[in-house]
């Protein structure tokens, strides 16, 4: 039997100041542990803490003790959702955890995870999902036909539909068999961790778009979106979970089932931007990849300057690589206020007017009189860089040369990353492709601007380009995009709130030019 206990605080994240733009956001982080005799709730809490950068809107943990599954989740950061008392009440030997941003589905308590469902056989299923499916409407329609996903269902995420179908499938067979039957019907990006009362499961889509790894504890096993989560709980890395693989972990050990042929298309953006630098993806240190990107950037887009400074902290490894390759000294010219963006208190108008100074503060004695080479990870709308360059000049910089450690983002991601809308991307706003870089340079007020090429990024990852997704940079999507997906979050929610599971014609008509390969 199963219980579901929750409180619901409607927390709203503070709006960012006008000059601090929305950065690309990972949709979610997942964690799972099977470890009899260990405090699995607390291990999961710390695992989620390490994955907090992947989702800061909601967090949740499910724990199974062999007889029941208990779920606790809420809107907010991991540290805001859980306290000692709550964790102490979650006793068991198997747990899954989740931290969330929304791409499909809005930011509501109902869409926070783990999703919980009863099977007809009376057991509980709790599920966490990282990624984004592209056939959600088709799956929702099937779930409605089966009577397990009604028009009054309050959750609107692809993950909730998967949870409903999985629990339904386990009515007359094991959860493992239900998963083997269901997983091949899911299209898009998914890393799933799920459980019943006794067993932990982990599955990765056949393209392996998002990372998912297996680790070993003295008395059990862990799975996590990133290997940095293993370090914090004292687990050792065993291996990546393969694209198209399902793992089941219980007292019989670890069982592996191949539910689909692997067609690897790992998200290159995980390497260059999203994952923690202390994680290892596909055997390669993320930090090392980013240092190598900086080296390639220095070769492709050389600059003359007195000092290389990073925009902390995500630009730091690339700035180190740029300095090593160029021979220009490296220095810290900007200090980051690490806690901005983690407050749930709305800033006052006076504070908002501080703009980028809320986030970054220049070290004037380092900057004054220097020709700076500023290395940043990406440019989205350009607001941040414009404000930053103005701030550096006010602090005494005589020249500011900007070098960007990723190629221009030109296309939306349908596989779990939330960018600004295509219309907001500064690289899309320029009159011609040829003049794009100089147009952006003028818009942000830099003396020179250079981006690394897609080829340079791929080379630094050590992967074959054919094994990577780079669709947000080159528009070539590895997984077919049903029109429904291109409609975006708001339209999909409209669809899923109707009993027919179809979108209003007026909305479909605006999006009928979408195909698997998108061009400007
Ligand atoms: S479109 Fe971009 S962000 Fe999305 S999976 Fe592909 S490379 Fe990653």
């Amino acid at each position: 039997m199963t219980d579901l206990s929750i409180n619901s605080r409607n927390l709203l994240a503070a709006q960012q100041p006008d000059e601090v733009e929305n950065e690309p956001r990972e949709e979610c982080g997942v964690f799972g542990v099977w470890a009899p005799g260990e405090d699995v709730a607390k291990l999961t809490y710390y695992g989620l803490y390490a994955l907090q950068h992947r989702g800061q809107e909601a967090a949740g943990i499910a724990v199974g003790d062999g007889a029941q599954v208990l779920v606790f989740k809420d809107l907010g950061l991991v540290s805001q959702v859980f306290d000692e008392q709550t964790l102490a009440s979650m006793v068991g030997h198997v747990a899954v955890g989740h931290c969330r941003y929304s791409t499909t589905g809005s930011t509501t308590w109902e869409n926070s995870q783990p999703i919980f469902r009863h099977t007809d056989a009376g057991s509980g299923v709790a599920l966490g999902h990282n990624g984004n499916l592209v056939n959600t409407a088709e799956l929702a329609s099937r779930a409605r036909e089966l009577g397990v996903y009604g028009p009054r269902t309050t959750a609107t995420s692809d993950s909730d539909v998967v949870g409903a179908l999985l629990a339904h499938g386990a009515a007359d067979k094991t959860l493992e068999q239900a998963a083997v039957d269901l997983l091949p019907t899911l299209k898009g990006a998914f890393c799933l961790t799920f459980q019943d009362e006794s067993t932990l499961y982990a599955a990765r889509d056949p393209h392996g778009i998002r990372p998912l790894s297996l680790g070993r504890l003295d008395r059990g096993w862990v799975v996590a979106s990133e290997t940095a989560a293993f370090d914090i709980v004292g687990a050792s890395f065993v291996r990546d979970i393969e694209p198209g693989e399902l793992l089941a972990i219980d007292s019989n050990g670890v069982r592996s089932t191949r539910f689909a042929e692997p067609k690897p298309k790992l998200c290159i953006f995980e390497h260059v931007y999203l994952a923690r630098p202390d994680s290892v993806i596909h055997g390669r240190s993320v930090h090392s990849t980013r240092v190598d990107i900086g080296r390639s950037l220095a070769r492709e887009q050389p600059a003359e300057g007195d000092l290389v400074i990073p925009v902390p902290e995500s630009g730091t490894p690339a700035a180190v690589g740029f300095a090593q390759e160029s021979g220009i000294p490296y220095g810290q010219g900007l200090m980051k206020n690490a806690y901005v963006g983690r407050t749930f208190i709305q800033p006052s108008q006076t504070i908002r007017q501080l703009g980028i100074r809320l986030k970054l503060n220049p070290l004037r004695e380092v900057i004054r009189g220097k020709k700076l080479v500023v290395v940043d990870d990406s440019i989205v709308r350009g607001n941040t860089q414009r404000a930053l360059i103005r701030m550096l000049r006010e602090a005494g910089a005589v020249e500011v040369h900007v070098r960007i450690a990723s190629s221009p983002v030109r296309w939306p991601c349908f596989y779990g990353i939330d960018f600004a809308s295509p219309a907001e991307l500064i690289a899309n706003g320029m009159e011609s492709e040829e003049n794009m870089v100089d147009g952006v340079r003028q818009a942000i007020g830099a003396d020179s601007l250079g981006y690394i090429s897609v080829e340079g990024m791929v080379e630094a990852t050590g992967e074959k380009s054919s094994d990577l997704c780079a669709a947000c940079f080159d528009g070539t999507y590895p997984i077919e995009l049903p029109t429904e997906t291109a409609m975006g979050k708001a339209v999909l929610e409209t669809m899923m709130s109707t009993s027919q599971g179809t979108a209003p014609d007026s909305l479909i008509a605006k999006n009928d030019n979408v195909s698997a390969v998108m061009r400007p």
Side-chain angles (χ1 to χ4, degrees):
M1 288 302 294
T2 309
D3 184 24
L4 194 64
S5 78
I6 314 304
N7 65 342
S8 179
R9 288 174 284 137
N10 285 317
L11 301 175
L12 292 172
Q15 290 176 359
Q16 292 289 324
D18 294 338
E19 288 181 332
V20 179
E21 63 191 8
N22 294 330
E23 293 165 343
R25 302 188 311 183
E26 178 65 74
E27 190 191 28
C28 297
V30 293
F31 186 87
V33 53
W34 184 91
E38 297 282 1
D39 186 342
V40 292
K42 217 165 237 184
L43 287 173
T44 305
Y45 173 83
Y46 280 107
L48 291 181
Y49 222 98
L51 300 173
Q52 184 74 87
H53 61 291
R54 299 181 74 90
Q56 298 177 12
E57 289 179 357
I61 295 175
V63 171
D65 63 0
Q68 68 171 5
V69 177
L70 179 71
V71 181
F72 190 96
K73 58 184 180 177
D74 206 346
L75 304 184
L77 301 171
V78 177
S79 59
Q80 293 169 315
V81 172
F82 293 97
D83 56 24
E84 283 279 359
Q85 203 179 356
T86 307
L87 291 170
S89 68
M90 303 184 78
V91 177
H93 69 271
V94 57
V96 296
H98 189 267
C99 50
R100 178 172 200 267
Y101 279 129
S102 57
T103 53
T104 300
S106 50
T107 306
T108 62
W109 182 87
E110 287 78 10
N111 282 338
S112 59
Q113 300 185 27
I115 300 291
F116 177 82
R117 289 273 176 162
H118 279 294
T119 70
D120 284 353
S123 86
V125 180
L127 173 142
H129 172 204
N130 173 211
N132 201 52
L133 300 182
V134 298
N135 66 334
T136 306
E138 175 193 323
L139 295 167
S141 170
R142 192 193 327 156
R144 285 197 181 94
E145 282 167 25
L146 293 168
V148 295
Y149 196 78
R152 283 181 295 171
T153 303
T154 50
T156 56
S157 76
D158 50 354
S159 320
D160 193 56
V161 180
V162 173
L165 289 169
L166 187 62
H168 174 76
D172 55 0
K173 55 183 117 129
T174 64
L175 187 57
E176 194 168 340
Q177 189 54 52
V180 170
D181 293 344
L182 176 66
L183 294 172
T185 71
L186 309 183
K187 291 183 190 160
F190 60 89
C191 284
L192 303 174
T193 55
F194 55 103
Q195 65 167 99
D196 55 19
E197 290 78 2
S198 304
T199 305
L200 172 66
Y201 300 90
R204 194 170 173 210
D205 72 73
H207 296 280
I209 297 261
R210 304 269 148 247
L212 188 66
S213 300
L214 173 69
R216 187 82 164 105
L217 289 165
D218 284 346
R219 295 193 284 182
W221 301 89
V222 289
V223 292
S225 294
E226 290 185 37
T227 61
F230 295 161
D231 301 331
I232 201 170
V233 300
S236 54
F237 172 79
V238 175
R239 66 175 176 87
D240 289 333
I241 294 170
E242 296 294 321
E245 183 181 26
L246 167 71
L247 292 185
I249 303 172
D250 57 20
S251 55
N252 296 316
V254 179
R255 295 184 295 286
S256 168
T257 305
R258 178 79 67 189
F259 65 85
E261 280 305 307
K263 302 171 195 161
K265 288 288 180 188
L266 179 69
C267 167
I268 193 172
F269 217 56
E270 293 277 354
H271 280 288
V272 305
Y273 183 92
L274 295 166
R276 283 175 53 143
D278 51 344
S279 285
V280 174
I281 296 180
H282 212 183
R284 172 111 173 122
S285 149
V286 173
H287 174 81
S288 300
T289 295
R290 292 179 189 168
V291 171
D292 283 354
I293 284 176
R295 288 176 170 280
S296 300
L297 185 58
R299 288 192 296 273
E300 287 185 11
Q301 302 288 342
E304 289 193 9
D306 305 318
L307 190 69
V308 175
I309 66 166
V311 178
E313 290 162 6
S314 44
T316 301
V320 169
F322 195 106
Q324 288 173 350
E325 186 70 21
S326 65
I328 301 170
Y330 171 90
Q332 287 285 349
L334 291 162
M335 295 305 294
K336 181 172 184 177
N337 181 353
Y339 296 98
V340 166
R342 302 187 177 201
T343 174
F344 280 72
I345 306 298
Q346 293 281 347
S348 67
Q349 185 58 24
T350 307
I351 297 290
R352 286 172 64 80
Q353 283 169 353
L354 291 175
I356 193 159
R357 287 173 197 277
L358 253 182
K359 226 180 158 185
L360 296 170
N361 211 14
L363 291 170
R364 288 173 179 76
E365 61 277 18
V366 174
I367 288 169
R368 195 175 298 122
K370 300 270 182 18
K371 292 182 196 170
L372 298 178
V373 180
V374 179
V375 180
D376 204 351
D377 52 28
S378 62
I379 299 180
V380 181
R381 288 188 292 164
N383 296 359
T384 300
Q385 286 76 16
R386 187 164 42 243
L388 176 67
I389 292 165
R390 194 167 59 226
M391 185 171 74
L392 291 170
R393 292 197 196 281
E394 285 169 7
V398 292
E399 289 180 17
V400 182
H401 302 274
V402 175
R403 295 295 178 269
I404 302 297
S406 59
S407 302
V409 170
R410 309 292 303 273
W411 307 100
C413 175
F414 298 104
Y415 312 135
I417 305 303
D418 201 6
F419 292 119
S421 72
E424 290 177 303
L425 298 171
I426 191 169
N428 280 349
M430 298 301 137
E431 280 181 10
S432 73
E433 184 77 22
E434 294 74 37
N435 296 332
M436 187 273 288
V437 175
D438 197 53
V440 175
R441 181 196 67 75
Q442 288 182 35
I444 64 176
D447 291 292
S448 72
L449 171 67
Y451 294 86
I452 193 169
S453 65
V454 175
E455 295 73 23
M457 289 192 298
V458 170
E459 188 184 352
T461 67
E463 308 269 0
K464 288 188 283 185
S465 62
S466 58
D467 289 350
L468 292 167
C469 173
C472 52
F473 301 111
D474 64 16
T476 303
Y477 289 87
I479 307 173
E480 185 187 350
L481 300 176
T483 306
E484 74 175 63
T485 308
M487 293 174 198
K489 185 162 65 176
V491 181
L492 189 55
E493 283 181 39
T494 306
M495 287 168 54
M496 295 182 64
S497 65
T498 67
S499 56
Q500 293 80 22
T502 54
D505 287 347
S506 58
L507 294 172
I508 293 174
K510 288 179 189 165
N511 293 280
D512 59 5
N513 60 341
V514 175
S515 63
V517 178
M518 298 175 76
R519 296 290 175 219

